[in-house]
Amino acid sequence: MSTQSFADLGLSEAFLRSVAAQGYDTPTEIQARAIPPLLEGKDLLGTAQTGTGKTAAFTLPLLQRLVADGHASRGGSRGRGQGACRPIALILAPTRELAIQIDESVATYGAGSGVSHLAVFGGASKGGQLSGLRRNPLVLAATPGRLLDFVGERAIDLSGVQTLIIDEADRMLDMGFIPDVRRIAALVENRRQTVLFSATMPRPVEELSRELLGEAERIAVAPEEITIDRIRQSVLHVAREDKPALLPELIRDRNMFRVLVFTRTKHRAARLAKALRKTGIDSDEIHGNRSQNQRQSALERFRSGRVQVLVGTDVAARGIDVDDITHVINYEIPHEAE
Ligand code: AMP
């Protein structure tokens, strides 16, 4: 955490109140360093991962600029139902969960600002998203594939986008989305501000950022800014065949109250959740074989405490933000240890 206050960063009264309403008293490092240049409209390359507070770092200045430029007040009268949706800001995210989470952050931090917003993502029917697009939201949080589908169908027109934010660029790379991201960036031809966040900087991401950002400001923050000191870690050496019996025992004996379990494959996630349920432990699963509705409702049940254990693959569950998780178990050596 930095010693600066949010008021030092140039945020307006309205957004200071919205930050205070979240209970944040001090900006995180990425917030302290990214918010001032972003408010000035600068391009930015941020090396920061989930848990550093990066979502607020890009969302707050985006919202403040939209309000200052007078876009928000036009929100209601932007030609509802006429032609394509023309967003002013576009945030790209690699997974549907992340797109939804970013959209929720826009809603939370922008409450009362009049900034309209929508998440569009694959794996869910288009109907609901299409009717959302007809309201012509100012801010879109989107996964690349579905966004391009809508652009192809002329439901979205990206030529009015002024701010393009690419979140978790390295994960986009892992998922094969970089060509789509390039295509989208080319469609956002009139953009004035480009922001890219990535936890790591593999060469293709470095190249992409050079193409899109040139000599933009670079900010790198150490990982796990918020949480690492508070996490106690331990390793149990267990033969594979003993794991299924040990897990429910551990969960019970150690009073694990809200547990996230990671497996390597979708199959194993499903099998493990089922096995846990058989032992009487409320569990659900989140992985790529489940529909968007199933994933969202599993996450909601986990958030609300109705489900004690959520089993997932790291691909599906990365970046998920749930308060008060008591334990994280890597049932298998993770692809993605962070
Ligand atoms: P993120 O890295 O954006 O996924 O944020 C990680 C978590 O940190 C979220 O639960 C945020 O609500 C929380 N958070 C963001 N900024 C702050 C802050 N300044 N102080 C305390 N918590 C924060």
Side-chain angles (χ1 to χ4, degrees):
M1 295 270 169
S2 72
T3 49
Q4 267 182 309
S5 75
F6 277 106
D8 298 331
L9 304 181
L11 289 175
S12 67
E13 279 302 320
F15 290 103
L16 289 176
R17 274 199 301 276
S18 122
V19 163
Q22 292 309 301
Y24 307 162
D25 17 86
T26 332
T28 64
E29 185 181 352
I30 189 76
Q31 289 162 1
R33 293 171 63 194
I35 289 175
L38 288 179
L39 279 174
E40 284 173 33
K42 290 191 178 144
D43 288 354
L44 186 119
L45 169 62
T47 325
Q49 50 198 25
T50 300
T52 53
K54 70 179 161 65
T55 317
F58 65 72
T59 306
L60 288 164
L62 171 67
L63 288 166
Q64 182 162 320
R65 280 168 55 82
L66 286 171
V67 171
D69 291 348
H71 291 298
S73 50
R74 291 199 285 122
S77 57
R78 296 198 332 129
R80 181 186 169 121
Q82 296 161 10
C85 166
R86 290 190 89 240
I88 306 287
L90 173 64
I91 306 165
L92 292 178
T95 65
R96 25 196 185 185
E97 280 77 15
L98 212 54
I100 291 169
Q101 204 164 282
I102 291 168
D103 182 61
E104 285 169 356
S105 293
V106 173
T108 306
Y109 299 129
S113 68
V115 173
S116 50
H117 55 88
L118 181 73
V120 299
F121 44 84
S125 83
K126 284 186 175 164
Q129 296 177 15
L130 268 173
S131 56
L133 289 171
R134 266 179 228 118
R135 288 196 298 273
N136 204 11
L138 284 168
V139 181
L140 276 189
T143 55
R146 177 59 60 93
L147 179 74
L148 283 171
D149 279 358
F150 279 137
V151 169
E153 293 161 13
R154 303 196 189 289
I156 296 177
D157 168 4
L158 295 178
S159 64
V161 170
Q162 296 176 2
T163 303
L164 172 64
I165 299 172
I166 301 163
D167 197 15
E168 308 237 338
D170 52 350
R171 179 47 54 128
M172 300 274 196
L173 175 69
D174 293 346
M175 297 175 76
F177 292 162
I178 296 292
D180 282 353
V181 172
R182 274 208 173 81
R183 218 166 299 145
I184 291 164
L187 293 169
V188 185
E189 57 205 346
N190 299 315
R191 68 178 185 274
R192 300 195 197 136
Q193 185 177 34
T194 312
V195 180
L196 186 144
F197 278 98
S198 196
T200 57
M201 273 292 153
R203 169 144 336 155
V205 172
E206 182 76 49
E207 282 166 10
L208 178 75
S209 81
R210 212 167 314 123
E211 267 169 55
L212 299 184
L213 297 162
E215 292 309 304
E217 193 140 343
R218 283 171 175 252
I219 295 176
V221 307
E224 312 107 26
E225 185 70 16
I226 290 177
T227 44
I228 192 67
D229 291 342
R230 296 198 257 134
I231 299 176
R232 257 206 354 250
Q233 310 203 38
S234 51
V235 179
L236 298 175
H237 295 271
V238 193
R240 184 190 303 174
E241 61 272 21
D242 296 331
K243 288 189 197 179
L246 180 62
L247 184 64
E249 219 176 281
L250 268 182
I251 291 173
R252 287 216 168 81
D253 291 356
R254 308 233 175 145
N255 267 324
M256 297 186 177
F257 177 70
R258 185 167 294 171
V259 194
L260 191 55
V261 180
F262 288 115
T263 61
R264 292 255 270 193
T265 67
K266 310 173 204 177
H267 263 323
R268 277 181 226 160
R271 232 175 18 211
L272 192 57
K274 192 168 163 198
L276 284 172
R277 284 194 295 273
K278 275 201 180 138
T279 71
I281 294 174
D282 280 333
S283 345
D284 212 330
E285 55 197 83
I286 180 162
H287 52 75
N289 280 356
R290 305 202 83 196
S291 73
Q292 179 56 26
N293 274 345
Q294 288 173 320
R295 288 163 67 153
Q296 231 14 64
S297 79
L299 198 52
E300 276 319 308
R301 284 198 296 274
F302 185 55
R303 277 211 173 101
S304 66
R306 272 173 291 160
V307 156
Q308 183 182 0
V309 182
L310 186 66
V311 189
T313 54
D314 55 2
V315 173
R318 184 190 201 233
I320 281 178
D321 183 20
V322 178
D323 287 337
D324 303 323
I325 287 184
T326 58
H327 295 80
V328 174
I329 297 176
N330 286 306
Y331 194 75
E332 285 144 331
I333 302 292
H335 291 296
E336 192 68 60
E338 297 302 340

